[in-house]
Amino acid sequence: MTSNNASLVAIVPAAGVGSRMGADIPKQYLKLNERTILEHTLDRLLTVEGVESVIVAISEQDQWFDTLPMAKDPRVLRVSGGKERADSVLNGLKRAIEIKADMALVHDAARPCVLNQDIAALIEHVGNAADGGLLAVPVRDTMKRSAPDGTVAHTVDRERLWHALTPQLFPCQTLYDAIAAALAAEIQVTDEASAMEWAGYHPKLVAGCDSNIKVTRPGDLKLAAFFLQEETL
Ligand SMILES: Nc1ccn([C@@H]2O[C@H](COP(=O)(O)OP(=O)(O)OP(=O)(O)O)[C@@H](O)[C@H]2O)c(=O)n1
Ligand SMILES: C[C@](O)(CO)[C@H](O)COP(=O)(O)O
């Protein structure tokens, strides 16, 4: 329950193959400081005040999830992943609606360094508002858009330009309807907020820590391990 008595679940899309990582197993099962990335992520979400269950979308070809001790945690609910991340999230939202959750914190399995203080700030700023919100960080570099030939097409105005992170917090049914409608309209949905924006909502941007990286390429592993290690000091 959140402070305004909305029931809250986390949804973790964890059904990707990690192609950009190029490992021989899906990246969410690579180990950082002796624990899998997925375990680090679930550990955090299970300790967020108010989160009643964590719904994890797992590929039907997955050979690893059931080997994790936390797969047996009664608060961890497994659903099937989908073809794309948005499909996995939709399956998670279906289960969230079935168990009558009001709000969903959608968080990438591949973001193990998220700070619970940032998640708490997101929950506090968003509450159960229909527009929802997301953790984000302002860009710090000059941003370029490339031309097809690889040269610079133009410099992107970085005023009020943010990196969207996760978790992203939205009402379950509203988010389900927005993603389903966007996909039916063949809109590319790479995060939950983009579907809500397409549906006419105005999600709140809540500044989070830069350390909340999405482990995507091999170089991200050492950085994520460093951030996790730093927290124990
Ligand atoms: N069909 C999919 C694709 C992705 N994800 C999840 O969505 C999160 C963010 O996606 P991304 O970082 O792109 O992971 P992958 O799709 O595995 O990576 P890649 O694009 O490099 O294959 C990850 O936790 C991933 O497991 C998912 O649940 N279902
Ligand atoms: C949801 C997300 O992490 C926000 O930045 C991002 O859109 C996921 O993109 P991916 O291509 O599925 O990694």
Side-chain angles (χ1 to χ4, degrees):
M1 285 286 180
T2 63
S3 56
N4 42 45
N5 291 325
S7 62
L8 174 65
V9 295
I11 294 175
V12 179
V17 296
S19 56
R20 287 171 285 181
M21 181 58 73
D24 54 7
I25 62 172
K27 65 185 179 185
Q28 55 270 36
Y29 296 108
L30 294 175
K31 291 200 172 177
L32 296 176
N33 308 345
E34 296 166 16
R35 296 197 83 202
T36 66
I37 287 172
L38 180 55
E39 287 174 296
H40 283 292
T41 300
L42 294 182
D43 264 348
R44 286 166 192 239
L45 294 171
L46 286 166
T47 55
V48 172
E49 188 178 342
V51 168
E52 298 172 8
S53 300
V54 179
I55 300 168
V56 196
I58 300 291
S59 166
E60 290 181 357
Q61 289 71 45
D62 188 288
Q63 307 164 37
W64 301 273
F65 181 71
D66 289 336
T67 66
L68 304 180
M70 61 186 10
K72 299 172 182 61
D73 187 317
R75 297 168 299 165
V76 176
L77 308 178
R78 177 177 179 164
V79 298
S80 296
K83 182 174 181 296
E84 303 295 335
R85 179 183 178 281
D87 302 305
S88 298
V89 173
L90 273 183
N91 289 345
L93 286 165
K94 276 180 198 160
R95 176 66 64 83
I97 293 162
E98 284 167 4
I99 62 174
K100 303 197 185 319
D102 297 311
M103 300 295 288
L105 265 177
V106 185
H107 184 60
D108 295 325
R111 290 184 188 272
C113 304
V114 63
L115 297 177
N116 281 34
Q117 67 197 48
D118 283 0
I119 300 175
L122 176 66
I123 294 169
E124 185 184 343
H125 280 86
V126 170
N128 60 354
D131 285 304
L134 64 149
L135 287 182
V137 287
V139 300
R140 59 158 59 92
D141 304 307
T142 293
M143 307 299 284
K144 306 288 185 185
R145 174 80 61 194
S146 64
D149 68 359
T151 61
V152 176
H154 61 268
T155 296
V156 176
D157 178 2
R158 66 180 177 180
E159 181 70 22
R160 299 196 310 282
L161 194 59
W162 297 67
H163 293 280
L165 310 178
T166 68
Q168 304 197 5
L169 177 58
F170 295 102
C172 294
Q173 190 64 59
T174 310
L175 180 58
Y176 180 91
D177 294 344
I179 294 176
L183 294 178
E186 297 186 352
I187 301 297
Q188 192 181 24
V189 176
T190 57
D191 75 338
E192 289 62 61
S194 56
M196 292 292 286
E197 295 152 37
W198 181 79
Y201 294 92
H202 303 283
K204 186 175 284 187
L205 288 158
V206 178
C209 288
D210 292 303
S211 55
N212 181 11
I213 64 169
K214 182 165 66 72
V215 177
T216 305
R217 299 183 183 90
D220 300 327
L221 291 167
K222 278 187 178 172
L223 189 55
F226 169 77
F227 285 139
L228 291 170
Q229 193 66 37
E230 273 292 280
E231 290 174 25
T232 61
L233 300 180

